[in-house]
Amino acid sequence: MGKIKNNNKKKQNRHNATGMETFAEVEEAQALESVPVETIQPLLTKLSSTDANERAWAAAGASNLLMHDAATRRLMLSKNLVGALVERLTDSVHEVVVEALGALRNLTVVGGEDVINEMYAKNVLTPVTALIPPLGTMIDGMLSGPASTGTEHDKRKTVWDWADNVISIVWAMSEHSEKALKTINKINLIPFLMSFMNNVDKVPPKVIVSAAQCIYTLTDDNPDCRAVFVKNPDYIKPFQNILTLNVNAEQELLIKTLACGIIINLRTVIIPKGPESDYSEIHNAILPVLSGALNYDLQKACTEAAAAAQAVNAQEKEPDLSKPNQPASTEEQALAAIETRLQTLQLAQELIANICTESVQGVEEEEEEELKDEACDDEMEADEDEDALNGDLQDKDDGLDKNALREMEQLAAASNEIPMDLSGHPIIHILTSTVFPALIHLATPTPLSFPEQEVPTPKTVAPQITAQLALTHLRAVEALNNFLLTMADAVPGKWWYKQRKADAEQCWSWLFQQAGTIAGKGVRVGAEEKGQEMRGAILDAIVGCLWTLARGLDARVPSSELHIQALMGSYTSTTSDSMRVKTIGCLGVIARRQGAIEANKVIGEFLINILKNKPTPEACVEALNAIYDIYADAEFDYDMPVFVQGNFNQELKGMVKMVRFMVRNIDRRKNKDLRDRGDEALMNLTEFIKYKDHERK
C-alpha cells in the first residue's frame, strides 16, 4: 500500500488541458441537434476564400460550431478541418490567423487526444512556433509604450487573445503528446513564457494562467526544461514573488497555486538533490498558499452554480453563425468562475498529496535516528533466525518466527513512545490544523456532485460543474489518504494518532458515513452504471483511507460489527481488484485487535472463504498475507478459539495446489511485481503451515 501520487502527466485531470468530456457532458452534447452539413460545408469552403473577411468569419464560425455538439464536431473533423485551420495560421491577414488560432485552441479543449495527435501529424507546431517571435516583439512594444502606427494599434486589440491561444495550444500538445513535447523542448519556449511571468502586473490574468499552466506541465519530470532553469536560475524568482501576492480573484488564486506547483517541480534546481537535501524551507513557503487555496465553500458554490445553470439553460439557443463571437452572459461568467475555482482546489489537493511525505522530513530527532539504527540491527538478527528456521524465507515484515515477532513488536512499541511534541512544528501544524479539516470539508458531497441514480443516468442541471465537483471530492480523499499515511509512517511515534486520537476516530466514522452517502442506492465499483463512474472511484479511495487509518490507529480502531459487515459487503459487491485488496487489508488490521475474538472469527472465516472461492491473484496474495499477520503468534487471544479450533491450518493445506497453480499462471513479463509477490506468498504459505503445525508442540 503506497501513497497516492498525481504526477503522471498522461493521467492527470488538470485544469481541462484537453477538456476530455465527462459522460454528462457527452450526453448533453448528444442531446443537441447537430448542425446540418448544408450549413457546415459553405463555412468550410469559405476558409479558403480569396476574401480575407470571409476567411476570418469562417474560422470564427468554425470555432463556435466546434463547441456546439459532438456530432457536428465529428462531421467538421471528417472534412479536414484541422488541415484547413493549420493552413490559415500562415494567412497574410492577422485577423484570420487570430481566428484560426482560436478554433484550434477550442479543438484542443473538446477534441481529445486523437485530435491533438492529428494536429501534431499535420504539423501545427511549425506555424504556431513561427508566430511566437512577432508576438513577443508586439508584447514587448506594448509593455514599453503606445503604438507607433495604426496597424500596430489594431493588432494590439487582439494580442492577448493571440498570446492566450498560442500558449494554450502548445500547452495542450505538451500535456498529451510525448512527440509534441520533444518538439516543444527544442524551440526554447521558456524565455517567451517567462516574459509573461515577469510582468504579472501588466498582463491580463487569463494569459498569466495559460503561461503558468504551460510552464507547470513543461517542468514536470522534463530534464530538458529543467536544464533551462539550471542555466537561468533567475527564472525561478518570479514564481517565488507570486507566492507573496495578496489575491482574491479566482484566476489570480490559480496563478499562485500554479506557482507553488512550478516551485515544487523545480525544487531540485533551487536545492540540488543529495543525501542531505532538505526541502522544508520550500514547503514552509508553499503550504500556507496551498492550504489557503482549500478555503472554499462547496455547498454555497453548488447553490450558486445550480441557479446560474438554470438561467443559462433557459436561454439556450442554436448558434448564430452571423455572430460567431458572442460575449458570455453574467451567468456563464459565474459558472466559469466556479469551474476555475474548483480546478484550483484540485491542483492544490494534488500538490499537497504529492508533498505530504517530503514535508515532514527533518522533524525526527537524533534519538529517532538511533532507534532506526537499532531497528536495522534487530531486523537483521530476526532475518537470520528466520532463515535458520524456514530455510528460504526472505521477507522480514511477514516473518513467522515467534521470537522475532516479539522483538519487532517491542521495537515498534519503543518507537511509539518517543517523547516528542510536534504541535509547534510549522508544517505539521498546517497539515493537522488547516489541511486535514479542509480535506474533510472538500470530500463531502453536495447536491450537485453526482447525477441521480436512475437508468439511464440523467444529466444534472450543470454537468460540467458536477464533473468538477466529483473530481474535487476524489482529489480530497486521495490527499486525505496521503495525510493519514504521513501521520502513520513519517511522523515519529504516530504522534497525530495519539495526540489527535479523537480526530482520527471521528475520521473513521465519517468515512463510513460518506461511503454510504456516495453509494446511495448501490454502486458496483468497477462495473458502475454509465455516468456513475465517479461514485465508484471515490468509494475505492475511501476504502483506501480506511485501511490507512486502521494501520495508524492499530489496536485502537473504533470498529463495530456494522463496519466489518460493510467492508465485507464492499468486497463482494466490487469487480475492482484495487478495492478488493484495500478491503482485505483493512479487515486484516481490524482482526488483529486483542479482546475482540468474535470479530476476529468473522473476519478470519471471511478470508478463508475468499481463498476457497478462487479469487483473483491480487486478492489471493493480500488475503494470505493478512492471515499470516493476524495469526502469527499462538499467544494472541483469538488464535486458539479461531485459528486452531476453526481448523484454519487444515483449510490452508488444501489450498496450496490452488495457490501454486494461480501463481505459476501470472506472466512475469507482463506483471513482474505481482508475480514476485505471488511467489513470496506461496513460499510463505508452505512455511506458515509448517510453523503453525509445530507452534504449540
Side-chain angles (χ1 to χ4, degrees), residues 103-404:
L104 287 166
R105 187 257 180 89
N106 281 354
L107 267 179
T108 66
V109 172
V110 297
E113 290 191 32
D114 288 342
V115 173
I116 287 177
N117 289 332
E118 181 185 354
M119 289 170 64
Y120 177 77
K122 292 183 176 177
N123 205 24
V124 70
L125 285 176
T126 297
V128 167
T129 302
L131 292 171
I132 291 175
L135 177 58
T137 300
M138 185 178 298
I139 292 173
D140 289 342
M142 287 182 65
L143 297 176
S144 61
S148 58
T149 67
T151 301
E152 183 182 350
H153 182 271
D154 290 340
K155 286 185 176 180
R156 287 187 177 189
K157 294 179 182 178
T158 59
V159 70
W160 298 125
D161 286 337
W162 182 9
D164 188 27
N165 288 334
V166 166
I167 296 169
S168 295
I169 290 170
V170 172
W171 169 43
M173 301 288 288
S174 62
E175 177 95 358
H176 288 273
S177 170
E178 287 292 340
K179 291 180 179 179
L181 178 60
K182 292 178 181 178
T183 301
I184 292 165
N185 281 337
K186 297 175 183 178
I187 64 177
N188 197 25
L189 185 67
I190 296 300
F192 170 70
L193 296 173
M194 289 306 302
S195 67
F196 299 98
M197 307 313 301
N198 284 320
N199 293 280
V200 292
D201 56 334
K202 300 176 182 178
V203 178
K206 71 170 185 177
V207 183
I208 298 294
V209 167
S210 294
Q213 287 173 321
C214 193
I215 295 171
Y216 179 45
T217 293
L218 292 176
T219 54
D220 182 13
D221 194 23
N222 184 359
D224 290 339
C225 184
R226 182 183 182 279
V228 175
F229 284 89
V230 171
K231 293 178 182 177
N232 300 275
D234 289 345
Y235 281 177
I236 297 173
K237 189 65 176 175
F239 303 109
Q240 295 171 326
N241 292 338
I242 287 171
L243 297 187
T244 65
L245 297 179
N246 185 17
V247 299
N248 293 310
E250 287 80 6
Q251 285 187 325
E252 293 170 344
L253 185 58
L254 178 54
I255 292 168
K256 286 188 71 171
T257 308
L258 284 164
C260 291
I262 293 165
I263 290 172
I264 290 172
N265 287 347
L266 297 173
R267 65 192 181 281
T268 58
V269 176
I270 301 170
I271 302 174
K273 193 173 183 179
E276 303 300 323
S277 296
D278 181 5
Y279 302 114
S280 59
E281 184 177 344
I282 292 175
H283 296 141
N284 279 330
I286 286 172
L287 271 175
V289 176
L290 296 178
S291 62
L294 300 182
N295 184 21
Y296 188 58
D297 189 339
L298 287 186
Q299 303 299 326
K300 180 181 178 182
C302 165
T303 302
E304 293 174 350
Q310 287 172 349
V312 171
N313 294 341
Q315 301 166 5
E316 199 169 82
K317 53 188 177 182
E318 291 299 312
D320 184 355
L321 294 184
S322 66
K323 300 177 181 178
N325 294 315
Q326 301 180 49
S329 66
T330 301
E331 292 80 9
E332 288 171 332
Q333 292 176 21
L335 288 172
I338 292 171
E339 189 169 1
T340 296
R341 189 63 179 86
L342 293 174
Q343 291 167 350
T344 303
L345 280 176
Q346 294 157 19
L347 175 60
Q349 291 169 142
E350 289 175 10
L351 295 175
I352 288 172
N354 286 345
I355 69 172
C356 224
T357 305
E358 273 187 339
S359 67
V360 295
Q361 288 179 351
V363 301
E364 294 88 347
E365 296 180 347
E366 289 184 6
E367 58 183 297
E368 175 76 349
E369 294 302 322
E370 292 172 3
L371 197 58
K372 286 182 180 178
D373 291 339
E374 293 173 10
C376 289
D377 294 340
D378 289 346
E379 285 176 2
M380 290 175 65
E381 292 172 8
D383 201 29
E384 290 169 0
D385 292 342
E386 199 171 40
D387 286 343
L389 178 66
N390 297 323
D392 294 325
L393 287 179
Q394 300 295 319
D395 191 300
K396 297 187 286 292
D397 293 330
D398 290 332
L400 306 174
D401 179 6
K402 181 165 62 176
N403 293 328

Side-chain angles (χ1 to χ4, degrees), residues 6 11-17 20 22 25 298 339 342-350 439 442-446 448-451 463-479 533-535 537-538 541:
N6 297 298
K11 297 298 181 183
Q12 285 183 338
N13 292 298
R14 193 165 58 213
H15 323 309
N16 205 24
M20 297 300 289
T22 64
E25 291 175 272
L298 287 186
E339 189 169 1
L342 293 174
Q343 291 167 350
T344 303
L345 280 176
Q346 294 157 19
L347 175 60
Q349 291 169 142
E350 289 175 10
L439 293 176
L442 295 173
T444 303
T446 74
L448 197 57
S449 295
F450 306 103
Q464 288 177 290
I465 298 299
T466 292
Q468 295 295 340
L469 282 169
L471 185 56
T472 298
H473 301 324
L474 178 61
R475 292 287 179 263
V477 177
E478 291 172 342
E533 293 84 357
M534 287 303 293
R535 289 183 188 265
I538 297 171

Side-chain angles (χ1 to χ4, degrees), residues 555-569:
R556 301 178 297 279
V557 177
S559 183
S560 68
E561 181 181 349
L562 288 177
H563 294 156
I564 294 172
Q565 293 298 325
L567 285 167
M568 292 192 299

Side-chain angles (χ1 to χ4, degrees), residues 61-75:
S63 181
N64 192 25
L65 284 179
L66 284 170
M67 309 301 287
H68 183 255
D69 70 285
T72 298
R73 189 159 54 248
R74 287 193 295 269
L75 178 59

Side-chain angles (χ1 to χ4, degrees), residues 1-3 481 485 489 544 547-548 551 582 622:
M1 178 181 62
K3 293 177 176 58
N481 182 68
L485 276 165
D489 297 340
W547 185 11
T548 304
R551 288 180 54 245
K582 293 170 185 174
E622 192 62 41

